[in-house]
Amino acid sequence: RAASSSKTPKFVGGDDIAGSILLDLASPTYISSITIAVKGRVVTSSTDEGSYTILDQTYTVWSKALGNPRYASSTRNIKHKGNLEPGEYTWPFSFPFPTTFDYSNGSGPVGKKSYRTPQSFSEHDMPATVQYQLLLCIGRGALRPNKNIAVPIIYTPKIIPDPPSLPRQLSYRVARPLVGPSEDPAGWTTLPVVTTYRRLSHSQHSVKVDCQLSLANPMCYARGSVIPCWLTLQSNDPAGLDALANSQAIRITLQRHVKYHPRGIRSKPITQKTKIRSAVWWPSSVDQPPEESDIRIMEGELHLSRGLQTTSDFPLFSVEYVINWFDFQSPDIHPKGGLKIPLLTQMITIATFSASGPRIREYSIRT
């Protein structure tokens, strides 16, 4: 399925690979069979050990056992020698794109597992790729070379999150702010409390702040949507609390991890980490306590681009996404550099399509 003959065909999980083969013979030609194969491989290096076949499924479009192709329905049981007369022949075909494949780590049946077929992958700064192609093979018999035509294709798995909680769906439907974890506990995953000690620029003592991050459930988010975040801060120091409850001081980012084995599963894996985006924050308008309270609540969003690679768990080539929460950083906080090691990390899944239900709303402006 391509927009034009010059474009690479694209398929999504659940699609059928459908089309037709047109053969125009100028002279009598012996053909034993016509097959189409969908092939996929993961390439992690230029060596033989760095190439792994993940798909290799062949479908027979026609063979001489099926009889004369001009009268296939009436000659199916009549032996055909494979000699085709001059003229045009057309064979339609349709078969599903394989959405899963089996892989064994070499430890026998116990080590065999089924994996979701990963998305096509090719980036200029990454040696690892995921490649797919359709291979048309016209069999010419044992004494003649077969005619092969290979066409590259692009594949994207169909990953759909479960629907969000009913209160969050209602917020999307009537265009009101999201309900927080205290009123919608099933709609959020609340992570462990993180305690940080920071010194303000005008003070000599450290401020203790208890922080708790919540991420919207389910923790599977479609490309092009957002990851809703909820941050609760608590401290008995009002100045320190206000310094940290600042949209510029909160550092929560989304990072992509691409891991691959350059020389087989037993070789040491290489992981390339890429920062995708930082979350944007604003004071909550829903559950915000009074100013004299020892609690501040911030709402946030991580904007996801439509071009993100989907999550893949294949051991030889995996794509994972991690939310990293780094210590607070602003001109009013010392040390200004903060910590380079995350206070907390949480793995999430990036999906292809949005969940059923109302369209996900964004409460902040994309930059």
Side-chain angles (χ1 to χ4, degrees):
R1 184 179 63 183
S4 69
S5 59
S6 61
K7 299 291 185 180
T8 303
K10 297 181 179 180
F11 298 93
V12 175
D15 284 350
D16 284 338
I17 301 175
S20 60
I21 298 169
L22 175 62
L23 191 62
D24 189 359
L25 300 179
S27 59
T29 305
Y30 176 82
I31 296 177
S32 60
S33 65
I34 298 176
T35 61
I36 291 183
V38 54
K39 295 177 176 289
R41 64 175 185 156
V42 172
V43 179
T44 59
S45 72
S46 59
T47 65
D48 291 340
E49 294 85 359
S51 181
Y52 318 94
T53 298
I54 57 175
L55 288 183
D56 189 1
Q57 296 193 16
T58 300
Y59 301 85
T60 299
V61 178
W62 176 83
S63 73
K64 62 181 185 179
L66 298 176
N68 191 322
R70 294 200 185 279
Y71 316 101
S73 60
S74 60
T75 62
R76 188 176 185 89
N77 296 322
I78 300 176
K79 187 176 181 180
H80 190 268
K81 295 182 179 181
N83 295 313
L84 302 185
E85 297 297 323
E88 290 189 355
Y89 298 82
T90 301
W91 292 274
F93 63 86
S94 180
F95 53 89
F97 198 109
T99 56
T100 60
F101 67 96
D102 292 332
Y103 171 76
S104 176
N105 60 11
S107 56
V110 177
K112 190 174 184 179
K113 185 179 177 182
S114 181
Y115 294 92
R116 180 190 293 120
T117 304
Q119 182 177 339
S120 299
F121 185 93
S122 179
E123 295 183 356
H124 70 279
D125 59 345
M126 178 77 66
T129 62
V130 180
Q131 307 169 5
Y132 296 98
Q133 68 173 3
L134 288 179
L135 180 66
L136 170 64
C137 178
I138 299 177
R140 302 292 306 281
L143 302 179
R144 301 178 182 89
N146 294 336
K147 176 66 175 179
N148 295 319
I149 300 175
V151 177
I153 57 177
I154 295 174
Y155 175 74
T156 302
K158 189 174 185 179
I159 307 173
I160 303 176
D162 291 331
S165 66
L166 292 178
R168 185 146 62 97
Q169 291 189 51
L170 180 60
S171 296
Y172 291 150
R173 188 171 285 114
V174 301
R176 74 182 186 191
L178 297 183
V179 179
S182 60
E183 296 185 33
D184 181 23
W188 300 84
T189 292
T190 298
L191 305 179
V193 174
V194 171
T195 300
T196 183
Y197 296 85
R198 311 299 281 157
R199 184 170 64 85
L200 303 184
S201 57
H202 62 273
S203 174
Q204 296 300 316
H205 70 279
S206 295
V207 175
K208 175 188 175 185
V209 182
D210 292 328
C211 317
Q212 194 160 36
L213 175 66
S214 298
L215 302 174
N217 281 332
M219 286 195 290
C220 177
Y221 311 95
R223 303 185 301 184
S225 68
V226 295
I227 302 177
C229 307
W230 195 276
L231 184 61
T232 302
L233 310 174
Q234 185 171 13
S235 175
N236 57 11
D237 188 307
L241 194 59
D242 290 336
L244 270 62
N246 183 314
S247 60
Q248 302 302 314
I250 303 170
R251 300 193 301 151
I252 294 179
T253 65
L254 179 65
Q255 189 177 60
R256 186 187 74 175
H257 295 181
V258 177
K259 183 170 68 174
Y260 58 95
H261 295 258
R263 292 179 300 278
I265 190 63
R266 291 177 176 80
S267 65
K268 183 179 180 181
I270 296 175
T271 301
Q272 181 168 316
K273 300 179 180 181
T274 306
K275 178 184 173 182
I276 303 299
R277 187 175 288 272
S278 296
V280 294
W281 296 92
W282 63 93
S284 173
S285 60
V286 180
D287 291 345
Q288 197 67 256
E291 289 188 7
E292 61 271 15
S293 170
D294 63 350
I295 295 177
R296 300 287 186 272
I297 296 177
M298 301 291 288
E299 292 185 57
E301 287 180 338
L302 273 161
H303 299 133
L304 306 176
S305 74
R306 295 186 180 276
L308 280 181
Q309 190 82 7
T310 56
T311 297
S312 172
D313 63 349
F314 181 43
L316 295 176
F317 178 86
S318 65
V319 179
E320 299 174 340
Y321 289 89
V322 177
I323 291 180
N324 290 322
W325 179 6
F326 296 94
D327 212 341
F328 299 84
Q329 183 177 13
S330 81
D332 298 327
I333 302 174
H334 290 277
K336 289 184 170 58
L339 295 177
K340 295 182 179 181
I341 300 175
L343 299 171
L344 184 146
T345 63
Q346 176 62 51
M347 189 175 296
I348 63 162
T349 299
I350 296 298
T352 321
F353 299 101
S354 297
S356 60
R359 183 178 64 86
I360 294 176
R361 291 184 176 272
E362 299 184 13
Y363 296 89
S364 59
I365 299 175
R366 288 181 178 250
T367 57

